Coordinates of all heavy atoms in Angstrom, one line a residue:
M942 N 118.0 65.1 103.9 CA 117.2 64.3 103.1 C 116.7 63.0 103.9 O 117.6 62.4 104.5 CB 118.1 64.0 101.9 CG 117.2 63.3 100.8 SD 118.2 63.0 99.3 CE 117.2 63.8 98.1
E943 N 115.5 62.7 103.7 CA 114.9 61.5 104.4 C 115.4 60.3 103.7 O 115.3 60.2 102.5 CB 113.4 61.7 104.4 CG 112.8 60.7 105.4 CD 111.3 60.9 105.5 OE1 110.9 61.9 106.3 OE2 110.5 60.1 105.0
T944 N 115.7 59.2 104.5 CA 116.0 58.0 103.9 C 114.9 57.1 104.1 O 114.0 57.3 104.7 CB 117.3 57.4 104.7 OG1 117.0 57.2 106.1 CG2 118.5 58.4 104.6
R945 N 115.2 55.9 103.4 CA 114.0 54.9 103.5 C 114.0 54.3 105.0 O 112.8 54.0 105.4 CB 114.5 53.8 102.6 CG 113.5 52.6 102.6 CD 114.0 51.5 101.6 NE 113.2 50.3 101.7 CZ 112.1 50.0 101.1 NH1 111.6 50.9 100.1 NH2 111.5 48.9 101.1
R946 N 114.9 54.3 105.8 CA 114.9 53.9 107.0 C 114.1 54.7 107.9 O 113.4 54.4 108.9 CB 116.4 53.7 107.7 CG 116.4 53.1 109.1 CD 117.8 52.9 109.6 NE 117.7 52.4 110.9 CZ 118.8 52.3 111.6 NH1 120.0 52.5 111.1 NH2 118.6 51.7 112.8
D947 N 114.2 56.0 107.7 CA 113.4 57.0 108.5 C 111.9 57.0 108.1 O 111.2 57.2 109.0 CB 114.1 58.6 108.2 CG 115.4 58.8 108.7 OD1 115.8 58.1 109.7 OD2 116.0 59.7 108.2
A948 N 111.8 56.7 106.8 CA 110.3 56.6 106.5 C 109.7 55.3 107.0 O 108.6 55.4 107.6 CB 110.3 56.4 105.0
V949 N 110.5 54.2 107.1 CA 109.9 53.1 107.7 C 109.7 53.2 109.2 O 108.7 52.8 109.9 CB 110.9 51.9 107.4 CG1 110.5 50.5 108.3 CG2 110.8 51.5 106.0
T950 N 110.6 53.8 109.9 CA 110.6 54.2 111.4 C 109.3 55.1 111.5 O 108.6 54.7 112.6 CB 111.8 54.8 111.8 OG1 112.9 54.0 111.6 CG2 111.7 55.0 113.3
G951 N 109.0 56.0 110.8 CA 107.9 56.8 111.0 C 106.7 56.1 110.9 O 105.6 56.4 111.4
T952 N 106.7 55.3 109.9 CA 105.4 54.4 109.6 C 105.1 53.6 110.8 O 104.0 53.4 111.0 CB 105.5 53.7 108.1 OG1 105.8 54.8 107.1 CG2 104.3 52.9 107.9
A953 N 106.2 52.9 111.3 CA 106.1 52.1 112.3 C 105.5 52.7 113.6 O 104.7 52.3 114.3 CB 107.3 51.3 112.6
G954 N 106.0 53.9 113.8 CA 105.5 54.9 114.8 C 104.1 55.2 114.7 O 103.3 55.2 115.6
C955 N 103.8 55.5 113.6 CA 102.1 55.8 113.2 C 101.4 54.6 113.5 O 100.3 54.6 114.0 CB 102.1 56.4 111.9 SG 102.6 58.1 111.6
A956 N 101.8 53.4 113.0 CA 101.1 52.2 113.1 C 101.0 51.8 114.7 O 100.0 51.3 115.1 CB 101.7 51.0 112.4
A957 N 102.1 52.0 115.4 CA 102.1 51.8 116.8 C 101.0 52.7 117.4 O 100.3 52.3 118.5 CB 103.4 52.1 117.6
A958 N 100.9 54.0 117.2 CA 100.0 54.9 117.7 C 98.5 54.5 117.3 O 97.7 54.5 118.3 CB 100.3 56.4 117.1
V959 N 98.3 54.1 116.1 CA 97.0 53.7 115.7 C 96.6 52.3 116.5 O 95.4 52.3 117.1 CB 96.9 53.5 114.3 CG1 95.6 52.8 113.9 CG2 96.9 54.8 113.6
L960 N 97.5 51.4 116.6 CA 97.2 50.2 117.4 C 97.0 50.4 118.9 O 96.1 49.8 119.4 CB 98.3 49.3 117.2 CG 98.5 48.5 115.9 CD1 99.5 47.6 115.7 CD2 97.1 47.8 115.5
G961 N 97.7 51.4 119.5 CA 97.6 51.8 120.9 C 96.1 52.5 121.0 O 95.5 52.1 122.1
A962 N 95.9 53.3 120.2 CA 94.4 54.0 120.1 C 93.3 52.8 120.1 O 92.4 53.0 120.8 CB 94.3 54.9 119.1
L963 N 93.4 51.9 119.3 CA 92.5 50.9 119.0 C 92.5 50.0 120.4 O 91.4 49.5 120.7 CB 92.8 50.0 117.9 CG 92.5 50.6 116.4 CD1 93.0 49.8 115.3 CD2 91.1 51.1 116.4
A964 N 93.6 49.7 121.0 CA 93.6 49.0 122.3 C 93.0 49.8 123.4 O 92.3 49.3 124.1 CB 95.2 48.6 122.6
G965 N 93.2 51.2 123.4 CA 92.5 51.9 124.3 C 91.0 51.8 124.2 O 90.2 51.7 125.3
I966 N 90.4 51.8 122.9 CA 89.1 51.7 122.6 C 88.6 50.3 123.1 O 87.6 50.2 123.6 CB 88.7 51.9 121.2 CG1 88.9 53.4 120.9 CG2 87.3 51.5 120.9 CD1 88.7 53.8 119.4
A967 N 89.4 49.3 122.8 CA 89.0 48.0 123.2 C 89.0 47.8 124.7 O 88.1 47.1 125.2 CB 90.1 46.9 122.6
V968 N 89.8 48.4 125.4 CA 89.7 48.4 127.0 C 88.7 49.3 127.4 O 87.9 48.7 128.4 CB 91.1 49.0 127.5 CG1 90.9 49.2 129.0 CG2 92.3 48.1 127.2
W969 N 88.3 50.3 126.8 CA 87.1 51.1 127.3 C 85.7 50.5 126.9 O 84.8 50.7 127.6 CB 87.2 52.5 126.6 CG 86.1 53.4 126.9 CD1 85.7 54.0 127.9 CD2 84.9 53.4 126.0 NE1 84.5 54.8 127.8 CE2 84.1 54.5 126.6 CE3 84.5 53.0 124.8 CZ2 82.9 54.6 126.2 CZ3 83.4 53.4 124.2 CH2 82.5 54.1 124.9
F970 N 85.6 49.8 125.8 CA 84.3 49.4 125.2 C 83.4 48.6 126.3 O 82.2 48.9 126.4 CB 84.4 48.6 124.0 CG 83.1 48.1 123.3 CD1 82.5 49.2 122.7 CD2 82.6 47.0 123.4 CE1 81.3 49.0 122.2 CE2 81.5 46.7 122.8 CZ 80.8 47.7 122.2
P971 N 83.9 47.6 127.1 CA 83.0 46.9 128.0 C 82.5 47.8 129.1 O 81.4 47.7 129.6 CB 84.0 45.9 128.7 CG 85.1 45.8 127.8 CD 85.2 46.9 127.0
Y972 N 83.3 49.0 129.5 CA 82.7 49.9 130.4 C 81.7 50.9 129.8 O 80.8 51.2 130.3 CB 83.9 50.6 131.1 CG 84.9 49.7 131.8 CD1 86.0 49.4 131.2 CD2 84.5 49.4 133.1 CE1 86.8 48.4 131.9 CE2 85.4 48.4 133.7 CZ 86.6 48.1 133.2 OH 87.4 47.3 133.8
G973 N 82.2 51.3 128.6 CA 81.3 52.3 127.9 C 80.0 51.7 127.5 O 79.0 52.4 127.3
R974 N 79.9 50.4 127.1 CA 78.7 49.9 126.6 C 77.7 49.9 127.6 O 76.4 50.1 127.2 CB 79.1 48.4 126.2 CG 78.0 47.6 125.6 CD 78.2 46.2 125.3 NE 78.5 45.7 126.6 CZ 79.2 44.4 126.7 NH1 79.7 43.9 125.7 NH2 79.4 44.0 127.9
R975 N 78.0 49.6 128.8 CA 76.9 49.7 129.9 C 76.3 51.1 130.0 O 75.1 51.3 130.3 CB 77.6 49.4 131.3 CG 77.7 47.8 131.4 CD 78.2 47.5 132.7 NE 79.6 47.3 132.5 CZ 80.6 47.2 133.5 NH1 80.3 47.5 134.6 NH2 81.7 46.9 133.1
G976 N 77.1 52.1 129.8 CA 76.6 53.6 129.8 C 75.8 53.9 128.6 O 74.9 54.7 128.6
L977 N 76.0 53.3 127.5 CA 75.4 53.6 126.3 C 74.1 52.9 126.2 O 73.0 53.4 125.5 CB 76.2 53.3 125.0 CG 77.5 54.2 124.9 CD1 78.2 53.6 123.8 CD2 77.1 55.6 124.6
S978 N 74.0 51.7 126.7 CA 72.8 50.8 126.4 C 71.9 50.6 127.7 O 70.9 49.8 127.6 CB 73.2 49.6 125.7 OG 74.0 48.9 126.7
G979 N 72.4 50.8 128.9 CA 71.6 50.2 130.0 C 71.5 51.3 131.1 O 71.8 50.8 132.3
G980 N 71.2 52.4 130.9 CA 71.0 53.4 132.0 C 69.8 53.0 132.8 O 69.0 52.1 132.6
F981 N 69.3 53.9 133.7 CA 68.1 53.8 134.4 C 66.9 54.0 133.5 O 66.9 54.9 132.7 CB 68.1 55.0 135.5 CG 66.8 55.0 136.4 CD1 66.6 53.9 137.3 CD2 65.8 55.9 136.0 CE1 65.4 53.9 138.1 CE2 64.6 56.0 136.9 CZ 64.5 54.9 137.8
E982 N 66.0 52.9 133.5 CA 64.9 52.8 132.8 C 65.3 52.9 131.2 O 64.5 53.5 130.4 CB 63.9 53.9 133.1 CG 63.3 53.6 134.4 CD 62.1 54.7 134.7 OE1 62.0 55.5 134.0 OE2 61.5 54.4 135.8
G983 N 66.4 52.4 130.8 CA 66.9 52.3 129.4 C 67.5 53.6 128.9 O 67.7 53.8 127.6
E984 N 67.6 54.6 129.7 CA 68.2 55.8 129.2 C 69.6 55.6 128.9 O 70.3 54.8 129.6 CB 68.0 57.0 130.3 CG 66.7 57.5 130.6 CD 66.6 58.5 131.5 OE1 67.6 59.2 131.8 OE2 65.6 58.8 132.2
T985 N 70.1 56.3 127.9 CA 71.6 56.3 127.7 C 72.4 57.4 128.4 O 71.6 58.4 128.8 CB 71.8 56.3 126.1 OG1 71.3 57.6 125.6 CG2 71.1 55.2 125.4
A986 N 73.5 57.3 128.5 CA 74.4 58.2 129.1 C 75.4 58.7 128.2 O 76.6 58.2 128.0 CB 75.0 57.7 130.4
P987 N 75.2 59.6 127.2 CA 76.2 60.0 126.3 C 77.5 60.6 126.8 O 78.4 60.8 126.0 CB 75.3 60.9 125.4 CG 74.3 61.5 126.2 CD 73.8 60.4 127.1
Y988 N 77.4 61.0 128.1 CA 78.7 61.7 128.5 C 79.8 60.6 128.5 O 80.9 61.0 128.8 CB 78.5 62.1 130.0 CG 78.1 61.2 131.0 CD1 79.2 60.5 131.8 CD2 76.9 60.8 131.3 CE1 78.9 59.6 132.6 CE2 76.5 59.8 132.3 CZ 77.6 59.2 132.9 OH 77.5 58.2 133.9
V989 N 79.5 59.4 128.5 CA 80.6 58.4 128.4 C 81.5 58.6 127.1 O 82.7 58.2 127.3 CB 80.2 56.9 128.4 CG1 79.4 56.5 129.7 CG2 79.2 56.6 127.2
F990 N 80.9 59.2 126.1 CA 81.8 59.6 125.0 C 82.7 60.8 125.3 O 83.7 61.0 124.6 CB 80.9 59.9 123.8 CG 80.5 58.6 123.0 CD1 79.1 58.4 122.9 CD2 81.4 57.7 122.7 CE1 78.7 57.3 122.3 CE2 80.9 56.5 121.9 CZ 79.6 56.3 121.8
L991 N 82.2 61.8 126.1 CA 82.9 63.0 126.4 C 84.2 62.7 127.0 O 85.1 63.5 126.7 CB 82.0 64.0 127.1 CG 80.7 64.4 126.4 CD1 80.0 65.3 127.2 CD2 81.0 65.1 125.0
L992 N 84.3 61.8 127.9 CA 85.5 61.6 128.7 C 86.1 60.2 128.4 O 87.4 60.2 128.3 CB 85.3 61.7 130.2 CG 85.0 63.2 130.8 CD1 84.8 63.1 132.1 CD2 86.3 64.0 130.4
G993 N 85.3 59.2 128.4 CA 86.0 58.0 128.3 C 86.6 57.7 127.1 O 87.8 57.3 127.1
V994 N 86.1 57.9 125.8 CA 86.8 57.7 124.6 C 88.0 58.5 124.4 O 89.1 58.0 124.1 CB 85.7 57.8 123.3 CG1 86.4 57.6 122.0 CG2 84.5 56.7 123.6
P995 N 87.9 59.7 124.5 CA 89.2 60.6 124.3 C 90.3 60.1 125.3 O 91.6 60.1 124.9 CB 88.9 62.0 124.5 CG 87.4 62.0 124.4 CD 86.8 60.7 124.8
V996 N 90.1 59.9 126.6 CA 91.1 59.6 127.4 C 91.7 58.2 127.1 O 92.8 58.1 127.1 CB 90.5 59.6 128.9 CG1 91.4 58.9 129.8 CG2 90.2 61.0 129.4
M997 N 90.9 57.3 126.7 CA 91.4 55.9 126.4 C 92.1 55.9 125.0 O 93.1 55.3 125.0 CB 90.2 55.0 126.5 CG 89.6 54.8 127.8 SD 90.8 54.4 129.1 CE 91.3 52.6 128.8
V998 N 91.6 56.7 124.1 CA 92.3 56.8 122.8 C 93.7 57.4 122.9 O 94.6 56.9 122.5 CB 91.5 57.4 121.8 CG1 92.2 57.8 120.5 CG2 90.3 56.5 121.4
I999 N 93.7 58.6 123.6 CA 94.9 59.3 123.8 C 95.9 58.6 124.7 O 97.2 58.4 124.3 CB 94.6 60.7 124.3 CG1 93.9 61.6 123.3 CG2 95.9 61.3 124.7 CD1 93.3 62.8 123.8
G1000 N 95.4 57.9 125.8 CA 96.2 57.2 126.6 C 96.7 56.0 125.9 O 98.0 55.6 126.1
G1001 N 96.0 55.1 125.1 CA 96.5 54.1 124.4 C 97.6 54.5 123.4 O 98.6 53.7 123.2
A1002 N 97.2 55.6 122.7 CA 98.3 55.9 121.7 C 99.5 56.4 122.5 O 100.7 56.1 122.0 CB 97.7 57.1 120.8
T1003 N 99.5 57.1 123.5 CA 100.7 57.5 124.2 C 101.5 56.4 124.8 O 102.7 56.5 124.7 CB 100.3 58.5 125.4 OG1 99.5 59.6 124.9 CG2 101.5 59.0 126.2
A1004 N 100.8 55.3 125.3 CA 101.4 54.2 125.9 C 102.2 53.4 124.7 O 103.2 53.0 124.9 CB 100.4 53.2 126.6
A1005 N 101.6 53.4 123.5 CA 102.2 52.6 122.4 C 103.4 53.4 121.9 O 104.4 52.8 121.7 CB 101.2 52.4 121.4
L1006 N 103.2 54.7 121.9 CA 104.5 55.5 121.5 C 105.6 55.5 122.5 O 106.8 55.5 122.1 CB 104.1 57.0 121.1 CG 103.2 57.1 119.9 CD1 102.7 58.5 119.8 CD2 104.0 56.7 118.7
A1007 N 105.2 55.4 123.8 CA 106.2 55.3 124.9 C 107.0 53.9 124.7 O 108.3 53.9 124.7 CB 105.6 55.4 126.3
V1008 N 106.3 52.9 124.5 CA 106.9 51.6 124.2 C 107.7 51.6 123.0 O 108.8 51.1 123.1 CB 105.9 50.5 124.2 CG1 106.5 49.1 123.8 CG2 105.2 50.3 125.5
F1009 N 107.2 52.2 122.0 CA 108.0 52.3 120.7 C 109.3 53.1 120.9 O 110.3 52.7 120.3 CB 107.1 53.0 119.7 CG 107.8 53.2 118.3 CD1 107.9 51.9 117.5 CD2 108.1 54.3 117.7 CE1 108.4 52.0 116.2 CE2 108.7 54.4 116.5 CZ 108.9 53.3 115.8
A1010 N 109.2 54.3 121.7 CA 110.5 55.0 122.0 C 111.5 54.1 122.8 O 112.6 54.2 122.5 CB 110.1 56.3 122.7
L1011 N 110.8 53.4 123.7 CA 111.9 52.6 124.4 C 112.5 51.4 123.6 O 113.7 51.3 123.9 CB 111.1 51.9 125.6 CG 110.9 52.7 126.8 CD1 109.9 52.0 127.8 CD2 112.1 53.1 127.6
V1012 N 111.8 50.8 122.7 CA 112.4 49.9 121.9 C 113.4 50.4 120.9 O 114.5 49.9 120.7 CB 111.3 49.2 121.0 CG1 111.7 48.4 119.8 CG2 110.3 48.3 122.0
R1013 N 113.2 51.6 120.6 CA 114.2 52.3 119.8 C 115.4 52.9 120.5 O 116.4 53.4 119.9 CB 113.6 53.6 119.0 CG 112.6 53.0 117.9 CD 112.2 54.0 117.0 NE 113.3 54.6 116.3 CZ 113.4 55.9 116.0 NH1 112.6 56.9 116.5 NH2 114.5 56.4 115.3
G1014 N 115.3 52.9 121.8 CA 116.3 53.3 122.6 C 116.3 54.9 122.9 O 117.4 55.3 123.3
R1015 N 115.4 55.5 122.7 CA 115.1 56.9 122.9 C 114.6 57.1 124.4 O 113.3 57.0 124.5 CB 114.3 57.5 121.9 CG 114.7 57.2 120.4 CD 115.4 58.4 119.9 NE 115.8 58.0 118.5 CZ 115.9 58.9 117.7 NH1 115.4 60.2 117.9 NH2 116.3 58.7 116.5
W1016 N 115.4 57.3 125.3 CA 115.0 57.4 126.7 C 114.2 58.7 127.1 O 113.3 58.7 127.8 CB 116.2 57.1 127.6 CG 116.7 55.7 127.4 CD1 117.9 55.6 126.7 CD2 116.1 54.5 127.7 NE1 118.1 54.1 126.8 CE2 117.0 53.5 127.4 CE3 115.0 54.2 128.5 CZ2 116.8 52.2 127.7 CZ3 114.7 53.0 128.7 CH2 115.7 51.9 128.3
R1017 N 114.7 59.8 126.5 CA 114.1 61.0 126.8 C 112.6 61.2 126.3 O 111.9 61.5 127.1 CB 115.0 62.2 126.4 CG 116.0 62.5 127.2 CD 116.8 63.8 126.9 NE 117.9 64.0 127.8 CZ 118.5 65.1 127.8 NH1 118.3 66.0 127.0 NH2 119.6 65.3 128.8
P1018 N 112.5 60.9 125.0 CA 111.0 60.9 124.6 C 110.2 59.9 125.3 O 109.0 60.2 125.7 CB 111.2 60.6 123.1 CG 112.6 60.9 122.7 CD 113.4 60.6 123.9
A1019 N 110.8 58.6 125.5 CA 110.1 57.7 126.3 C 109.7 58.2 127.8 O 108.5 57.9 128.3 CB 110.7 56.4 126.4
L1020 N 110.6 58.8 128.4 CA 110.3 59.4 129.7 C 109.2 60.5 129.7 O 108.3 60.6 130.5 CB 111.7 60.0 130.3 CG 111.5 60.4 131.9 CD1 111.0 59.3 132.7 CD2 113.0 61.0 132.2
G1021 N 109.3 61.4 128.7 CA 108.2 62.4 128.6 C 106.9 61.8 128.1 O 105.9 62.2 128.8
L1022 N 106.9 60.7 127.5 CA 105.7 60.1 127.1 C 105.1 59.4 128.2 O 103.9 59.3 128.6 CB 105.7 59.2 125.9 CG 105.9 59.8 124.5 CD1 106.4 58.8 123.5 CD2 104.5 60.4 124.2
A1023 N 105.9 58.8 129.2 CA 105.5 58.1 130.3 C 105.0 59.1 131.3 O 103.9 58.9 132.0 CB 106.6 57.4 131.0
A1024 N 105.5 60.4 131.4 CA 105.0 61.4 132.3 C 103.5 61.8 131.7 O 102.7 62.1 132.6 CB 105.9 62.6 132.3
A1025 N 103.5 62.0 130.4 CA 102.3 62.4 129.9 C 101.2 61.4 130.1 O 99.9 61.6 130.4 CB 102.3 62.5 128.3
L1026 N 101.5 60.1 130.1 CA 100.7 58.9 130.4 C 100.3 58.9 131.9 O 99.1 58.6 132.0 CB 101.3 57.6 129.9 CG 100.5 56.3 129.9 CD1 99.3 56.4 129.1 CD2 101.3 55.1 129.7
A1027 N 101.2 59.2 132.7 CA 100.8 59.3 134.0 C 99.6 60.3 134.3 O 98.8 60.4 135.2 CB 102.0 59.6 134.9
G1028 N 99.9 61.6 133.7 CA 98.8 62.6 133.8 C 97.6 62.2 133.1 O 96.5 62.6 133.7
I1029 N 97.5 61.6 132.0 CA 96.3 61.1 131.4 C 95.7 60.1 132.3 O 94.4 60.1 132.4 CB 96.5 60.5 130.0 CG1 97.0 61.7 129.0 CG2 95.3 59.8 129.4 CD1 97.6 61.1 127.8
A1030 N 96.4 59.2 132.9 CA 96.0 58.2 133.8 C 95.3 58.9 135.1 O 94.2 58.4 135.6 CB 97.0 57.1 134.3
A1031 N 96.0 59.9 135.5 CA 95.4 60.6 136.7 C 94.1 61.3 136.4 O 93.2 61.3 137.2 CB 96.4 61.5 137.3
F1032 N 94.0 61.9 135.3 CA 92.8 62.6 134.8 C 91.7 61.6 134.7 O 90.6 61.7 135.1 CB 93.1 63.3 133.4 CG 91.8 64.0 132.8 CD1 91.6 65.2 133.3 CD2 91.2 63.2 132.0 CE1 90.5 65.8 132.7 CE2 90.1 63.9 131.4 CZ 89.7 65.3 131.9
G1033 N 92.0 60.3 134.1 CA 91.1 59.4 133.8 C 90.5 58.8 135.1 O 89.4 58.5 135.3
H1034 N 91.6 58.7 136.1 CA 91.2 58.1 137.4 C 90.2 59.2 138.1 O 89.3 58.8 138.8 CB 92.3 57.8 138.3 CG 92.0 57.2 139.6 ND1 91.5 56.0 139.8 CD2 92.2 57.8 140.8 CE1 91.3 55.7 141.1 NE2 91.7 56.9 141.7
G1035 N 90.6 60.4 138.0 CA 89.9 61.5 138.7 C 88.4 61.5 138.1 O 87.5 61.9 139.0
F1036 N 88.2 61.4 136.9 CA 86.8 61.5 136.3 C 86.2 60.2 136.2 O 85.2 60.0 135.7 CB 87.0 62.2 135.1 CG 87.1 63.7 135.1 CD1 88.4 64.3 135.1 CD2 86.0 64.5 135.5 CE1 88.5 65.6 135.1 CE2 86.1 65.8 135.7 CZ 87.3 66.4 135.5
D1037 N 86.9 59.1 136.6 CA 86.4 57.7 136.7 C 85.9 57.2 135.4 O 84.7 56.8 135.3 CB 85.3 57.5 137.8 CG 85.1 56.2 138.3 OD1 86.0 55.4 138.1 OD2 83.9 55.9 138.8
V1038 N 86.7 57.3 134.3 CA 86.3 57.0 133.0 C 86.1 55.5 132.7 O 85.4 55.1 131.8 CB 87.3 57.4 131.9 CG1 87.4 59.0 132.0 CG2 88.7 56.8 132.0
L1039 N 86.7 54.7 133.6 CA 86.4 53.2 133.5 C 85.4 52.7 134.7 O 85.0 51.6 134.8 CB 87.6 52.5 133.7 CG 88.6 52.5 132.6 CD1 89.8 51.6 132.8 CD2 88.0 52.2 131.2
G1040 N 84.7 53.7 135.2 CA 83.7 53.3 136.3 C 82.4 53.1 135.6 O 82.1 53.6 134.5
D1041 N 81.4 52.5 136.5 CA 80.0 52.4 135.9 C 79.4 53.8 135.9 O 79.7 54.6 136.8 CB 79.4 51.5 136.9 CG 79.8 50.0 136.8 OD1 80.3 49.6 135.6 OD2 79.6 49.3 137.8
P1042 N 78.5 53.9 135.1 CA 77.6 55.2 135.1 C 76.9 55.2 136.4 O 76.6 54.2 136.9 CB 76.6 55.0 133.8 CG 77.3 54.0 132.9 CD 78.2 53.1 133.8
Q1043 N 76.6 56.5 136.8 CA 76.0 56.7 138.1 C 74.6 56.1 138.1 O 74.2 55.6 139.1 CB 75.9 58.1 138.4 CG 77.3 58.8 138.7 CD 78.0 58.3 139.9 OE1 77.3 57.9 140.8 NE2 79.3 58.3 140.1
S1044 N 73.9 56.0 136.9 CA 72.7 55.6 137.0 C 72.4 54.1 137.1 O 71.3 53.6 137.6 CB 71.9 56.0 135.7 OG 72.5 55.3 134.6
L1045 N 73.5 53.4 137.1 CA 73.5 52.0 137.2 C 73.7 51.4 138.5 O 73.5 50.3 139.0 CB 74.5 51.3 136.3 CG 74.2 51.3 134.9 CD1 75.3 50.7 134.0 CD2 72.8 50.8 134.5
E1046 N 74.3 52.3 139.4 CA 74.6 52.0 140.8 C 73.4 51.9 141.6 O 72.4 52.7 141.5 CB 75.6 53.0 141.4 CG 77.0 52.9 140.7 CD 77.9 53.8 141.2 OE1 77.6 54.6 142.2 OE2 79.1 54.0 140.7
D1047 N 73.4 51.1 142.7 CA 72.2 51.1 143.6 C 72.2 52.4 144.4 O 73.2 52.7 145.0 CB 72.3 49.9 144.4 CG 71.0 49.7 145.4 OD1 70.1 50.3 145.0 OD2 71.2 48.9 146.3
C1048 N 71.2 53.1 144.4 CA 71.1 54.3 145.2 C 70.7 54.0 146.7 O 70.6 54.9 147.4 CB 70.2 55.3 144.5 SG 68.5 54.8 144.4
G1049 N 70.4 52.8 147.1 CA 70.0 52.5 148.5 C 68.6 52.6 148.9 O 67.8 52.5 147.9
P1050 N 68.2 52.7 150.0 CA 66.8 52.4 150.6 C 65.9 53.5 150.1 O 64.7 53.3 149.8 CB 66.8 52.4 152.1 CG 68.3 52.0 152.4 CD 69.2 52.5 151.2
P1051 N 66.4 54.9 149.9 CA 65.4 55.9 149.4 C 64.8 55.7 148.1 O 63.7 56.1 147.8 CB 66.1 57.2 149.6 CG 67.4 56.9 150.2 CD 67.6 55.5 150.2
C1052 N 65.4 54.9 147.3 CA 64.9 54.7 146.0 C 63.8 53.7 146.0 O 63.1 53.3 145.1 CB 66.1 54.3 145.0 SG 67.2 55.5 144.7

């Protein structure tokens, strides 16, 4: 039978995940805004939504849940979440989700 303490802990975990996801969006927004509003000749780059937003939302929620697990003293779940976060960070770095869109970079003399 679930107790009140378990319900409060679950609610706090959900709140931590939501706040982490919002923090991920807040970190991504300055980078993604450039891709949405200022591409070459005013073109937008909607691909910034395909990788940037999901990676940052999932990464932010995972980071918040890892910290929440550490605060609660649950080392195994925190270690698993930290490993998942490392994988998400590697994926994000590989696809350069926080990088400038390609159309905004200077292409050099041939252009």
Side-chain angles (χ1 to χ4, degrees):
M942 189 173 229
E943 189 173 287
T944 63
R945 180 177 169 97
R946 183 176 181 188
D947 292 336
V949 169
T950 302
T952 303
C955 287
V959 168
L960 289 175
L963 291 175
I966 290 173
V968 167
W969 171 83
F970 187 71
Y972 299 97
R974 184 184 63 202
R975 283 181 256 163
L977 293 176
S978 62
F981 180 69
E982 294 183 351
E984 290 183 18
T985 60
Y988 67 87
V989 297
F990 279 122
L991 298 176
L992 287 175
V994 173
V996 167
M997 295 306 289
V998 168
I999 293 170
T1003 304
L1006 289 175
V1008 170
F1009 184 71
L1011 281 174
V1012 168
R1013 291 190 62 219
R1015 307 260 177 143
W1016 298 103
R1017 282 190 179 185
L1020 186 60
L1022 287 166
L1026 185 61
I1029 293 167
F1032 179 83
H1034 180 72
F1036 285 99
D1037 202 19
V1038 297
L1039 290 181
D1041 291 334
Q1043 292 292 336
S1044 61
L1045 292 179
E1046 294 179 3
D1047 183 20
C1048 64
C1052 292

